[in-house]
C-alpha cells in the first residue's frame, strides 16, 4: 500500500513528505530511545531513505544502539523534537518518529523492539510481538 505521509517537528522548522510504503512500524524500548524521547519508548516507522524529502535542517548525533550498531539520531536544532534515526545495519532505510506525523493515528505498531529494556512504568504493548532480529 502506497500512501503519502507528511509531518514535521514541533516548531515547524522541519517538514517531510514520504511517498513510499511503510516497511514496518514498531515501538522501541531501548535506553537510547528512552533518553531521546524523554519517556519509556519511541514509536517509529521505517521507509526507504530515498522516498523521503525533508525541508529544513536536521542535526544528527551518532550513538550505538543496544545491539552495538552505529545509529544516527536526527532532531530539529530549534525545538529539539526527535525526528529520524538511521542505522548502519540498514543504510537504505530511515526511521521516522510516529508522533511527528501530521496524522499520528495513521501509525499502528506491529512490533516491539528491545522489550527487555522496558521500564515498569511503560510496559510493552501485550498484543505486539517481539521483532525478529
Ligand atoms: Zn523544530
Ligand atoms: Zn530504540
Amino acid at each position: 500500500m502506497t500512501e503519502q505521509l507528511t509531518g514535521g517537528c514541533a516548531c515547524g522548522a522541519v517538514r517531510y513528505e514520504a511517498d513510499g510504503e511503510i516497511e514496518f512500524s514498531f515501538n522501541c524500548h531501548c535506553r537510547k530511545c528512552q533518553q531521546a524521547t524523554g519517556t519509556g519508548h519511541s514509536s517509529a516507522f521505517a521507509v526507504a531513505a530515498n522516498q523521503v524529502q525533508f525541508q529544513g535542517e536536521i542535526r544528527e548525533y551518532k550513538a550505538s544502539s543496544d545491539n552495538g550498531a552505529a545509529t544516527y539520531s536526527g532532531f530539529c536544532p530549534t525545538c529539539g523534537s526527535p525526528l529520524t534515526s538511521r542505522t548502519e545495519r540498514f543504510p537504505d532505510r530511515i526511521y521516522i518518529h510516529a508522533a511527528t506525523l501530521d496524522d499520528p493515528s495513521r501509525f499502528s505498531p506491529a512490533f516491539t523492539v528491545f522489550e527487555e529494556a522496558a521500564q515498569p512504568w511503560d510496559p510493552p504493548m501485550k498484543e505486539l510481538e517481539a521483532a525478529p532480529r
Side-chain angles (χ1 to χ4, degrees), residues 12-41:
V14 179
R15 295 285 305 161
Y16 65 80
E17 281 183 17
D19 288 324
E21 180 174 336
I22 290 180
E23 295 180 0
F24 58 92
S25 301
F26 58 93
N27 290 336
C28 180
H29 291 261
C30 83
R31 286 290 298 140
K32 291 290 186 307
C33 285
Q34 292 172 5
Q35 290 169 317
T37 60
T39 184
H41 69 275

Side-chain angles (χ1 to χ4, degrees), residues 70-113:
T71 63
Y72 300 88
S73 295
F75 62 96
C76 171
T78 301
C79 69
S81 298
L83 285 153
T84 58
S85 72
R86 300 184 290 120
T87 169
E88 63 180 3
R89 290 179 70 201
F90 304 107
D92 297 335
R93 192 181 279 165
I94 190 160
Y95 304 91
I96 299 179
H97 285 274
T100 65
L101 284 168
D102 290 334
D103 179 6
S105 72
R106 293 177 68 179
F107 175 78
S108 176
F111 293 112
T112 291
V113 187

Side-chain angles (χ1 to χ4, degrees), residues 27 29 40-41 112 115 117-128:
N27 290 336
H29 291 261
H41 69 275
T112 291
E115 67 282 357
Q119 299 301 319
W121 42 265
D122 187 20
M125 290 171 68
K126 285 195 173 57
E127 60 272 32
L128 300 187

